[in-house]
Amino acid sequence: MTLSPTLPSASPSPLGLGALLALLDEGPTSLPLQSVKVRARVSGPIARAVVEMAYENDHAEILEVLHLFPVPPQGAVHGFVLRADDLEVQGVCREKEQARAEYHDAREQGHRAALLESHRPDVHQLKVANIPPKATITVRLELSWVLPWEGGRQRFAFPTTIAPRYLPGKVIGADGEGILPDTDRVPDASSLQPPVLLGEPAPLDLELEIDGAVKLLEVAQHSARTELGERVRITPRGGKLDRDFVVAFSLAQATPSLQAWTDGERTLVQVLPPTDLSAEPLPRDATFIVDISGSMSGTKMEAAKLALRTALRGLDAQDRFRLLAFDNVVEAYRDAAFLPLTEAELSAAEVWVDRLHPRGGTEMLAPLKLGLEPKAEPGRLHTLLFITDGQAWNRQELIAAVYHRRNAARLHTLGIDTAVNEDLLGQLARVGGGTATFCTPQDDIEERVAALESRFGAPLVQVTELGGLPRNGEVFSDQPALLWLESAPEAITLKARGPAGDFELETKAQRTDSLGAAFAKERIQALEDRLVVHPHEEEALKPAILKLSLAHQVLSSQTAFVAVDKSAKVLGPKVQVSQPSAVPDQWEGGGGAPMMAAAAPPPPSPMGARRPPGASAPPRGVKKSAKRPTPKRPASKRERGVVELFQRVFSGAPDMEEVEESMVLADEAPTIMAPSPAPPVFEPEPAVEDRVTSPAVGLVQSQRVDGSWGGVPETVAALLALVLLGNTRLTGARRRAVAKAARWLGKRSEPLAAEALEILAAAEAGQAPEPSELAGFVVPGPEGEVLAGLT
């Protein structure tokens, strides 16, 4: 079977891909979603948000709205309200088929109703039936989730759009209401992808409050107004639904190694052991896998290259490495074997990285299988770093492949995008025994990867007992473990085993609001993770998920929320419209789009016509009305840019049979393809590293494989400069570089080396040197110039 999807040439709106302003023959018209209002608050480890979505019917017909939208993948939806006029109807969480039946009956009888389902942890579908002409209906959601930590900071991320994602496999039909067909590799794909919006995204009205005094605060991707008081309030300026709203922060008070919060019924415990890289690390075999698909174009590709170079520079002399790059095929540096780390090999690898460019589709399965293929050798660690935007729909098979092939390897994921797929990359890291880190293309990628590098060794701490009960959990540096107790003891004791031996910690729990929804979500997520990797256990797992979901009124894969207003009936002609989703910011002009190689549906059939069996669903839209025709306007610059973006991607869509012949979809060994030439997709924006000004970047990038900067004086100058920049073996993003330099100096007999190590030890004990005290260590050369600039 050969699939060569193309765009319709007669219209500026590529309806075959689901892009639309609205599906009216008279021309573009308004869409139902008018605004999204988010009010969020962070208290301790928990974020809570109230989301209001307003839908306005600006047409003469009665509307039913279909809306696929994102939520934080960790978010527990535990409240659902339908508001029409002055009436509010509280939604109820029911078994999914029962909720669908109630909604269908209400829709047919003319009652206003709403149905909320979860198709993926980060993709929900809302249906709102019987919106009268010129009326507005508002749907309100309540969510709670445990905030993740990255690099010693909590991270609040609220997604606003579902990016187009690559869909592999052969078409088998279309049962859902999205724009894609189902395939043999993603059988639920037709329920996942919304149409693509060509017009301007709806505005985002968001306020975030953080309890407590904030020490560090970083708002990514938005300009924002910050108000200080008893709590910090952050409000984006001019926000639109085309990028994630991301805030990273740390509180002013020190974070202890053990904290706990309780609502009187259950307790959430956070374990954050101190970092110490002074010990000699185990040698490691490091596999780096980077995505070079079309969606990585522009700033994302430059950020990914910087991440690779930083990770390579973080290796130790006894480590080995290999590099894999993938789109529809897998390319390897050399022959995909582990290579010894030498200066010559490192330089050659960096040249290979610099030559990477984005091309085809996001086929993740083969590189993950290849990356996990070798088993760890005795006495060596096997770690993988997977760098991608995560924009692919074949989540189940990827997670299952990692789970069943992991052996003793540890898979860490690094997601880079303005609307990254946190759900997929987070779950890959969970089943891969590693951690997930998420960045925007404008972040300090070097700092994030340097912090990630400190986790690549063995786990720092093994939890053995919590609250008097045996536990088995691993804690990485700067990545707290969050553990639950189904009780509320006055004092919590934790026993663990670290590099220096067994130790014990004790704390008292702080009182907080109800933790029930977050607790239920964590339990449901664990069961749903298991269902993905052990589908044969569904007869036991699905009822367990359903029971938890109903007991706590938390949305899951087995339930849905339904709300019905029976106070009035709305009778008359009815039509259906699908709310499109914006292309993520930086994906037009400076970015690409994933190739949905097997998924582009054919041009849509007329509204109301039945599609043949196996045909993919056309984009949902408003049926033709009897209103006076509206003159068609020319396509805007943004609309033309989006259409051109998809044309560039789909004009080179491969034959899926050829792709499958070159990829590994079963157990055979992967085929490593030689690099193939490809035309540039877009002119990239300025490289990410050009925007990074920290002097630590140049120092770390020039550090040698053995940990030195050449001689003892140069290494001492570089080490002390890093100390003045806030880095030791215990703290700072560049602590791994400090540890490597310290180990190298520790093997030298010169008094200068011993003096530098004494200054480092004093800084780690809380006695940081004054900059003027280090002026005598300045030497000629770049290392001395950095130190001189700091003293």
Side-chain angles (χ1 to χ4, degrees):
M1 177 179 66
T2 300
L3 295 175
S4 299
T6 57
L7 289 173
S9 58
S11 169
S13 178
L15 298 175
L17 298 177
L20 72 157
L21 293 171
L23 202 55
L24 279 177
D25 288 353
E26 297 86 355
T29 186
S30 59
L31 288 159
L33 181 65
Q34 295 302 302
S35 65
V36 174
K37 179 180 178 181
V38 182
R39 296 294 179 265
R41 182 177 175 182
V42 174
S43 180
I46 302 293
R48 297 177 175 86
V50 176
V51 183
E52 290 189 355
M53 295 180 287
Y55 301 93
E56 182 179 357
N57 182 1
D58 196 29
H59 307 286
E61 301 87 358
I62 300 168
L63 287 190
E64 178 185 25
V65 175
L66 306 177
H67 187 191
L68 285 163
F69 64 95
V71 296
Q74 321 94 310
V77 179
H78 54 85
F80 183 66
V81 176
L82 171 68
R83 187 170 72 237
D85 301 324
D86 295 327
L87 180 68
E88 286 195 352
V89 179
Q90 190 74 39
V92 181
C93 185
R94 301 198 188 281
E95 188 274 330
K96 182 173 287 187
E97 293 306 319
Q98 180 184 353
R100 287 175 174 176
E102 288 185 23
Y103 173 81
H104 180 269
D105 290 345
R107 181 186 62 190
E108 296 305 306
Q109 294 172 22
H111 296 306
R112 291 177 290 196
L115 177 72
L116 178 68
E117 300 180 52
S118 174
H119 294 317
R120 294 284 174 87
D122 63 333
V123 177
H124 287 22
Q125 177 177 280
L126 178 66
K127 293 183 179 181
V128 184
N130 294 321
I131 305 178
K134 310 305 177 183
T136 299
I137 285 183
T138 301
V139 173
R140 185 168 73 242
L141 312 179
E142 295 180 24
L143 302 94
S144 298
W145 68 98
V146 179
L147 287 186
W149 281 67
E150 288 181 8
R153 293 174 293 182
Q154 288 177 279
R155 180 177 182 272
F156 175 93
F158 198 87
T160 65
T161 189
I162 300 174
R165 297 178 187 174
Y166 179 79
L167 177 62
K170 297 180 180 179
V171 174
I172 59 175
D175 293 329
E177 290 157 317
I179 66 166
L180 301 179
D182 299 322
T183 73
D184 56 348
R185 293 172 63 186
V186 191
D188 62 341
S190 63
S191 299
L192 301 174
Q193 187 78 61
V196 176
L197 176 69
L198 293 183
E200 284 298 314
L204 170 65
D205 177 4
L206 186 147
E207 286 185 7
L208 169 64
E209 292 185 341
I210 303 173
D211 289 348
V214 172
K215 178 174 64 175
L216 295 174
L217 181 69
E218 179 182 309
V219 181
Q221 307 198 119
H222 290 82
S223 61
R225 182 176 66 252
T226 302
E227 301 174 27
L228 303 178
E230 292 184 1
R231 59 178 62 101
V232 175
R233 179 181 290 111
I234 304 109
T235 307
R237 294 174 176 169
K240 295 182 179 180
L241 305 182
D242 64 352
R243 72 199 78 176
D244 297 345
F245 179 74
V246 183
V247 177
F249 65 93
S250 61
L251 299 179
Q253 67 266 29
T255 303
S257 298
L258 188 68
Q259 286 182 285
W261 297 265
T262 183
D263 61 2
E265 296 183 39
R266 57 197 64 83
T267 304
L268 177 60
V269 181
Q270 177 179 283
V271 186
L272 179 62
T275 302
D276 188 355
L277 298 180
S278 59
E280 188 76 24
L282 287 174
R284 124 175 110 99
D285 291 334
T287 298
F288 302 107
I289 307 173
V290 63
D291 182 352
I292 58 169
S293 66
S295 66
M296 292 294 290
S297 294
T299 54
K300 286 194 283 184
M301 191 73 259
E302 297 306 314
K305 290 180 182 181
L306 177 57
L308 265 182
R309 289 192 294 269
T310 303
L312 284 168
R313 287 288 173 179
L315 296 173
D316 285 301
Q318 71 271 31
D319 295 341
R320 301 184 303 183
F321 75 97
R322 61 181 182 154
L323 296 171
L324 304 175
F326 72 92
D327 58 343
N328 295 99
V329 294
V330 183
E331 297 180 12
Y333 171 68
R334 304 250 189 245
D335 58 357
F338 284 113
L339 300 167
L341 188 67
T342 65
E343 290 293 341
E345 202 68 76
L346 183 58
S347 297
E350 288 181 326
V351 171
W352 183 85
V353 170
D354 288 338
R355 291 176 178 171
L356 295 175
H357 58 267
R359 298 183 314 222
T362 315
E363 281 282 0
M364 299 182 182
L365 188 58
L368 284 171
K369 286 182 176 181
L370 180 60
L372 293 165
E373 188 177 78
K375 294 184 179 180
E377 297 181 10
R380 301 186 71 87
L381 301 172
H382 184 198
T383 62
L384 295 91
L385 178 60
F386 190 53
I387 304 172
T388 177
D389 56 11
Q391 305 300 0
W393 282 122
N394 52 325
R395 172 178 176 269
Q396 284 88 341
E397 67 176 7
L398 295 173
I399 293 165
V402 170
Y403 178 84
H404 292 295
R405 294 166 181 267
R406 177 193 159 194
N407 296 315
R410 294 193 178 276
L411 172 67
H412 301 263
T413 58
L414 176 63
I416 304 174
D417 202 353
T418 57
V420 70
N421 187 351
E422 291 194 15
D423 171 44
L424 171 62
L425 299 182
Q427 194 167 14
L428 285 175
R430 286 199 302 274
V431 301
T435 60
T437 298
F438 305 109
C439 307
T440 69
Q442 288 73 36
D443 283 340
D444 188 342
I445 302 295
E446 191 273 343
E447 179 181 352
R448 298 292 178 86
V449 176
L452 181 61
E453 266 283 327
S454 67
R455 305 175 200 151
F456 281 2
L460 292 177
V461 167
Q462 187 81 25
V463 177
T464 58
E465 184 178 309
L466 179 65
L469 300 174
R471 297 297 289 259
N472 183 21
E474 298 168 330
V475 186
F476 289 89
S477 169
D478 285 341
Q479 194 79 8
L482 295 167
L483 309 171
W484 287 92
L485 289 172
E486 294 187 62
S487 59
E490 292 185 4
I492 294 106
T493 300
L494 176 137
K495 295 182 180 180
R497 184 172 298 114
D502 294 346
F503 66 93
E504 187 173 306
L505 298 172
E506 188 171 308
T507 190
K508 290 188 176 181
Q510 307 168 46
R511 293 291 301 195
T512 189
D513 296 335
S514 175
L515 297 172
F519 169 79
K521 177 66 176 182
E522 191 272 344
R523 290 290 185 264
I524 289 170
Q525 187 176 58
L527 293 172
E528 291 181 338
D529 284 357
R530 184 168 183 85
L531 184 60
V532 170
V533 298
H534 293 294
H536 58 279
E537 297 179 1
E538 67 175 358
E539 290 186 4
L541 292 173
K542 286 185 176 181
I545 295 169
L546 177 62
K547 182 178 179 180
L548 263 173
S549 181
L550 294 178
H552 292 272
Q553 289 288 286
V554 170
L555 190 65
S556 72
S557 60
Q558 305 304 307
T559 55
F561 271 99
V562 62
V564 177
D565 169 21
K566 295 185 177 181
S567 64
K569 288 189 176 183
V570 183
L571 303 175
K574 302 175 183 180
V575 293
Q576 195 178 69
V577 64
S578 181
Q579 176 65 39
S581 187
V583 174
D585 181 51
Q586 298 185 26
W587 274 47
E588 56 173 321
M595 290 199 306
M596 300 170 215
S605 56
M607 289 302 298
R610 298 180 62 87
R611 60 179 186 264
S616 56
R620 304 283 173 164
V622 183
K623 288 183 181 178
K624 181 177 180 180
S625 69
K627 294 190 301 182
R628 184 179 52 171
T630 303
K632 293 187 178 180
R633 61 166 176 80
S636 68
K637 180 178 179 181
R638 172 184 171 83
E639 293 162 14
R640 291 195 303 271
V642 175
V643 172
E644 290 171 3
L645 182 153
F646 280 95
Q647 285 174 329
R648 293 186 186 189
V649 172
F650 279 86
S651 63
D655 184 308
M656 281 306 297
E657 290 183 349
E658 295 178 3
V659 171
E660 290 173 2
E661 289 174 1
S662 67
M663 301 302 290
V664 177
L665 306 180
D667 294 327
E668 64 269 21
T671 301
I672 307 301
M673 306 298 293
S676 56
V681 179
F682 294 99
E683 284 295 323
E685 294 186 9
V688 173
E689 60 265 32
D690 293 343
R691 297 194 292 270
V692 178
T693 58
S694 170
V697 174
L699 288 176
V700 173
Q701 292 290 331
S702 61
Q703 188 176 26
R704 298 190 178 184
V705 167
D706 60 8
S708 75
W709 277 264
V712 170
E714 294 80 9
T715 304
V716 167
L719 172 65
L720 296 181
L722 288 173
V723 171
L724 289 180
L725 290 167
N727 302 279
T728 70
R729 290 168 293 191
L730 307 179
T731 59
R734 282 84 183 181
R735 56 185 174 273
R736 190 172 182 88
V738 172
K740 290 167 61 177
R743 287 196 295 271
W744 186 85
L745 288 173
K747 299 173 183 178
R748 314 271 84 80
S749 57
E750 289 90 330
L752 184 62
E755 189 175 354
L757 292 177
E758 289 178 5
I759 295 173
L760 173 62
E764 292 171 343
Q767 301 173 0
E770 291 294 330
S772 58
E773 298 173 4
L774 304 183
F777 294 93
V778 173
V779 296
E783 299 80 21
E785 290 177 5
V786 174
L787 182 59
L790 297 171
T791 58

